[in-house]
Amino acid sequence: YAKPRAGAFEVGVDVECVNNAPTVRLPTSVVTNIDTPTVIYGIYADDVDVLMAPSRSAFVMEATVSCSFCTLGAGGQTGASVTLTLPLDQLNAALSPIDYAPNAAFAGEDTVVVTVSDMGQTGTGGVLTASGSVTVTINLVNDPPVLLMPAAVETEEDVPVAFSRYGVSIVDDASPPDDVHLELAVGVGHLTRS
């Protein structure tokens, strides 16, 4: 049986830094009306690995923001998809707020997807990402109907005028044609329906 020896021993230990995934926080929903731009506040990217960087301004991340039925504006860029590659603090300043403009005449639901990447800057594990989404509800608004007709119609005395000849029409995108009510009046003379 061997007796253990007492004494001090030196052991080298290598500790590798592991890349932690970034995070992204965002609101769950936004509401606007048809053809009405709005802004989305509260999008925030973060990564605990920023503590390993020489400075916050040296820690660069990438964010891609996209939608299906809109034009976005962020960090001086516009489009249905915008990609920003900036130091973390500048990235967050560019992400909140984001300008959101629904496509013309679109009503319904759209989804804004935000994906952030740490670009694999620290530790082992490669590039890591996080993503989230915001539901945007675009409400249909009942616009007033538009009556298309000439400003004035002239005729000889005792000679009837057919308005159909002048292209009189009603435009109302929100109502079926049978649901529109039209009242006509004249200052002098009388109207008849044909």
Side-chain angles (χ1 to χ4, degrees):
Y1 157 164
K3 237 179 171 182
R5 295 187 313 184
F9 296 95
E10 220 173 272
V11 177
V13 177
D14 288 331
V15 178
E16 285 189 9
C17 178
V18 175
N19 186 13
N20 294 287
T23 59
V24 62
R25 286 191 329 243
L26 21 101
T28 56
S29 63
V30 174
V31 178
T32 189
N33 291 330
I34 191 169
D35 297 326
T36 305
T38 189
V39 291
I40 301 172
Y41 290 97
I43 298 174
Y44 183 79
D46 203 4
D47 193 326
V48 296
D49 293 333
V50 72
L51 302 173
M52 302 299 292
S55 69
R56 286 186 73 82
S57 61
F59 194 80
V60 176
M61 289 180 66
E62 183 177 88
T64 300
V65 185
S66 61
C67 62
S68 298
F69 305 105
C70 80
T71 299
L72 299 165
Q77 296 183 37
T78 59
S81 181
V82 173
T83 299
L84 305 169
T85 305
L86 295 165
L88 182 57
D89 290 339
Q90 292 177 30
L91 181 67
N92 282 321
L95 289 174
S96 189
I98 289 179
D99 295 323
Y100 177 95
N103 290 350
F106 175 76
E109 280 194 356
D110 194 5
T111 302
V112 175
V113 177
V114 180
T115 302
V116 295
S117 167
D118 66 7
M119 301 171 64
Q121 299 176 72
T122 59
T124 60
V127 175
L128 297 176
T129 62
S131 63
S133 62
V134 180
T135 299
V136 182
T137 302
I138 300 101
N139 294 320
L140 184 63
V141 176
N142 187 10
D143 294 323
V146 177
L147 179 61
L148 303 174
M149 62 182 286
V153 176
E154 293 183 13
T155 186
E156 298 292 323
E157 187 175 346
D158 297 327
V159 176
V161 173
F163 276 98
S164 59
R165 196 174 103 190
Y166 292 96
V168 175
S169 63
I170 300 169
V171 177
D172 188 0
D173 295 332
S175 299
D178 295 341
D179 291 346
V180 177
H181 176 77
L182 175 66
E183 289 185 23
L184 297 173
V186 293
V188 175
H190 59 275
L191 291 169
T192 57
R193 182 176 173 187
S194 59

